[in-house]
Amino acid sequence: MNWLRNDRTAAEAETRRDHLDIINRVKSNDPDLPALDIGVILNDLHTATLLAEALRGNTNLKRVRFYEYGGDMDHFHMVISALSETNVSKIIVVPWSQIYPREDDLYAVAAGKRLLTLQSNLTRLDLNACHIGPSGAIVLSALLANNTTLRALHLTKNDIGDEGAVAMAHMLKNKNRALKEMVLDNNGITAYGQLALRNAIYNDSSFEELEKSNHILQSYFDNPRCVFGKSVLNDVLLSHAANLRCKSEKSAVTKKLKRVLSKKYGVALRFESFLGTDAVMMPHVLGWAAQKCDLQMMYELKPLLFNLLEGGR
């Protein structure tokens, strides 16, 4: 058995040397180290402390991936705090345990909370398959409400369900105007949650609600059919396209209003002419209409509008 013990000791010594080599590269600000994988190195307090100290002076790291770690959360938080002093903009949290997957949410949500609070440079956060559940999604949505830096949030396979989807939708519609990409594939979201997500970016219940919709978000998915059913998918796809292609929120609103008029009332809005108004003024004209009219009035004036929009060409 001594040989087995000796082999284990030798392997541990080699692992320690590898960890120290990584820490020295981080500390020396190695330009050939733009990405860093952080795993069992955090299990030991001494190496975790050395890594945190090394990170504070680093300016070349851009991406960090946390994986295969199930140790002390204090070590984890210490390194995350140090990351706030770096230029790291992309962070991936890989599921911690394949044996006890339901414990992942404790680490993933803690990571999200800490990162979104401290990491001012963070533009992408990947928490795929971390089992954060509805409660984790609610926590993250609250943190994202006033966040102005994060551009992409990946939450595939997290079982957030309708409750989590509604929380995210509320945040997107009423608060956040920074996120451009939120990946929600395979989260058990039913028609109820799908409608909430759709309404966050395309609420056609009134002009006012349409204007309040989010005109920044450009994607909810990698595969749309892993998130949305047929009843709302086309509205979502059109809204994403409008948000992506338009240079201003007013232009995006205009494109969405075209769909409302066409889909609900059969009015084809032509950009070439609107009572002789140049196309560049369309957002302002429709903004005025949104203030003066409601959808019921639009329906009642449909014949007149049809003549104005089509007959005057």
Side-chain angles (χ1 to χ4, degrees), residues 65 82 120 154 165 168 230 248 273:
R65 183 176 73 118
S120 60
H154 288 217
M168 289 292 175
K230 293 181 179 179
S248 70
S273 173

Side-chain angles (χ1 to χ4, degrees), residues 69 71-78 106-107 110-111:
Y69 171 63
D72 196 314
M73 284 296 291
D74 288 340
H75 303 177
F76 181 62
H77 287 159
M78 178 169 54
L106 300 177
Y107 295 96

Side-chain angles (χ1 to χ4, degrees), residues 141 144-147 165-178 196-197 199-201 203 208-209 211-215 220 249:
S141 64
L144 286 166
N146 297 308
N147 183 280
V166 169
M168 289 292 175
H170 179 79
M171 173 269 295
L172 287 169
K173 181 179 180 182
N174 298 300
K175 295 287 186 178
N176 188 287
R177 290 297 182 268
L197 291 170
N199 286 344
I201 59 174
N203 190 333
E208 182 179 6
E209 290 302 313
E211 185 179 12
K212 288 180 180 178
S213 301
N214 184 302
H215 308 300
Y220 272 133
E249 291 191 44

Side-chain angles (χ1 to χ4, degrees), residues 173 198-199 201-213 215 253 256-257 260-261 264-265 286 289-298:
K173 181 179 180 182
R198 176 260 201 188
N199 286 344
I201 59 174
Y202 179 82
N203 190 333
D204 59 353
S205 62
S206 71
F207 283 154
E208 182 179 6
E209 290 302 313
L210 186 68
E211 185 179 12
K212 288 180 180 178
S213 301
H215 308 300
V253 173
K256 294 174 186 180
L257 185 54
V260 171
L261 295 176
K264 298 191 75 170
Y265 306 108
L286 293 175
Q291 293 175 11
K292 303 297 182 181
C293 305
D294 58 30
L295 290 182
Q296 182 60 36
M297 183 184 297
M298 185 63 73

